[in-house]
Amino acid sequence: MGGVPESHTGWTFLTNHARVLAAIADDPNVRIRDIAAHCRLTERAVQKIIGDLEQDGYLSHTREGRTNTYRIEPGKVLRHPAEAGLPVASLLSLLVEDEDRRKHVDGPLGDGGPAADEAPAQPTSASRAPRLR
C-alpha cells in the first residue's frame, strides 16, 4: 500500500467531498484506492467522505463481488443555502466535463490548458461573473 498522498497547503475552490463525488461520477466502479490517489487524500478520508455522502442521500452503493458500484442521486440539492435549489447534477456536469477535457486536451506544456492552436477565450460581460443558477 502507498503512503499518505502529498498534502496541499492553502485554500482551494472545491471541497474534498466534491472531488470524491466527481471521481465517482467519472467512474461508478472506481476503487477507494484510486479515488484517494486522484484526490490526494488518504483511503480512510475517502471512506469517511463516502460515508458522509451516503448518510445524507447523495450516494448509494451496491456490492458486486469484490467491487462497489456507486449511484449518485442527481436530483439531490446542494447543502449550502447559497446554492439552494441547485441539484448536484449541475455541479457534477461541470466537474466531469472539465476532467474529461483535461484528460484529452493537453496544452503546449502538457498542463491540461488550451492546446497551442487554440486561442484563449476573451471574457465577455456575461462570462466575467459566472452564475451557477
Side-chain angles (χ1 to χ4, degrees):
M1 229 189 264
V4 175
E6 179 183 329
S7 65
H8 176 274
T9 58
W11 64 274
T12 63
F13 282 101
L14 299 176
T15 66
N16 290 334
H17 284 66
R19 286 187 188 95
V20 168
L21 200 59
I24 291 170
D26 191 44
D27 178 5
N29 297 313
V30 67
R31 297 180 310 170
I32 288 176
R33 174 179 294 154
D34 296 331
I35 296 171
H38 178 76
C39 297
R40 294 185 176 194
L41 299 169
T42 63
E43 290 180 35
R44 182 67 191 122
V46 171
Q47 289 172 336
K48 181 177 182 334
I49 289 169
I50 288 173
D52 290 345
L53 293 169
E54 285 185 321
Q55 181 177 356
D56 286 347
Y58 289 91
L59 186 66
S60 61
H61 77 276
T62 56
R63 187 87 172 155
E64 297 174 9
R66 294 177 51 187
T67 304
N68 283 328
T69 299
Y70 297 97
R71 183 179 186 289
I72 295 171
E73 294 299 328
K76 183 91 170 153
V77 295
L78 298 178
R79 293 169 41 110
H80 196 281
E83 292 92 32
L86 184 66
V88 72
S90 296
L91 173 66
L92 291 175
S93 69
L94 293 172
L95 296 176
V96 172
E97 177 182 310
D98 182 60
E99 182 68 19
D100 189 49
R101 181 192 59 81
R102 288 189 292 147
K103 286 179 183 175
H104 299 296
V105 178
D106 282 340
L109 300 176
D111 62 358
D117 60 332
E118 290 181 44
Q122 296 298 317
T124 64
S125 60
S127 66
R128 286 188 192 127
R131 294 187 55 145
L132 297 178
R133 286 187 223 153

